[in-house]
């Protein structure tokens, strides 16, 4: 898998897909209102926002979570892990921060979809999941950036 994700065509496709999916959140935000639950760091804030949403806003947010925000972590995860593998080494350890961030993002999506569909309210879990998700994605992005800079530095030195 590391060799596949680090290939140039896969990196380009991952970048394009991540950008398209990121842009696809604009209509979701327009229909559901701001802020989306994804950006609220605590269960209390998410519950407050959920209570203020109309049925139509909940439905729009639900579908945005299930469709857009399921595709997004896969796209950005492929990009960040691919960059780490490409400029670091094809070792699974370089992909662990990204994998952690993606798994946390998908867990957060599940919690939100359950609440938005009035199936189960587990939004209290966002107080743990959401900050960890953002931290792991930041670590993954930082790692990819550091490895790119290191590779460029080595190339310039040679």
């Amino acid at each position: 898998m590391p060799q596949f994700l680090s290939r140039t065509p896969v990196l380009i496709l991952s970048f394009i897909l991540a950008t398209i999916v990121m842009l696809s959140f604009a209509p979701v935000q327009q229909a559901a209102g701001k802020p989306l639950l994804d950006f609220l760091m605590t269960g209390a804030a998410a519950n407050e926002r959920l209570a203020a949403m109309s049925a139509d806003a909940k439905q729009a947010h639900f579908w945005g979570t299930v469709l857009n925000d399921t595709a997004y972590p896969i796209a950005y995860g492929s990009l960040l892990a691919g960059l780490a593998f490409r400029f670091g080494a094809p070792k699974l350890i370089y992909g662990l921060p990204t994998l952690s961030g993606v798994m946390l993002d998908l867990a957060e999506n599940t919690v939100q979809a359950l609440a938005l569909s009035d199936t189960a309210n587990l939004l209290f879990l966002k107080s743990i999941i959401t900050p960890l998700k953002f931290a792991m994605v930041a670590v993954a992005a930082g790692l990819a950036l550091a490895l790119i800079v290191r590779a460029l530095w080595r190339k310039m030195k040679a």
Side-chain angles (χ1 to χ4, degrees):
M1 185 63 94
Q3 288 83 7
F4 175 77
L5 290 175
S6 64
R7 294 179 53 224
T8 301
V10 175
L11 288 171
I12 292 169
L13 182 62
S14 296
F15 175 77
I16 291 169
L17 290 175
T19 302
I20 290 170
V21 176
M22 183 176 59
L23 294 173
S24 76
F25 281 102
V28 174
Q29 282 185 322
Q30 198 168 23
K34 291 183 181 179
L36 293 178
L37 296 177
D38 306 81
F39 297 103
L40 301 175
M41 295 292 180
T42 67
N47 273 310
E48 186 177 313
R49 175 70 181 109
L50 184 66
M53 294 174 78
S54 69
D56 288 342
K58 285 181 187 179
Q59 185 176 31
H61 198 320
F62 172 83
W63 287 112
T65 298
V66 170
L67 299 175
N68 305 52
D69 206 16
T70 297
Y72 191 51
I74 295 167
Y76 77 67
S78 297
L79 177 63
L80 292 176
L83 289 170
F85 294 141
R86 173 75 170 257
F87 295 101
K91 297 178 182 174
L92 289 180
I93 193 151
Y94 284 103
L96 287 180
T98 302
L99 179 62
S100 299
V102 167
M103 297 306 290
L104 287 162
D105 202 341
L106 294 173
E108 177 192 50
N109 293 346
T110 302
V111 166
Q112 292 174 178
L114 289 170
L116 288 162
S117 65
D118 292 324
T119 302
N121 189 329
L122 303 173
L123 289 174
F124 66 92
L125 294 172
K126 281 187 59 63
S127 297
I128 298 166
I129 294 172
T130 303
L132 278 175
K133 170 194 80 170
F134 280 114
M136 293 312 301
V137 172
V139 167
L143 176 63
L145 182 60
L147 292 169
I148 291 168
V149 169
R150 183 184 77 174
L152 288 172
W153 176 257
R154 286 180 174 173
K155 190 169 185 123
M156 287 173 41
K157 265 179 70 174

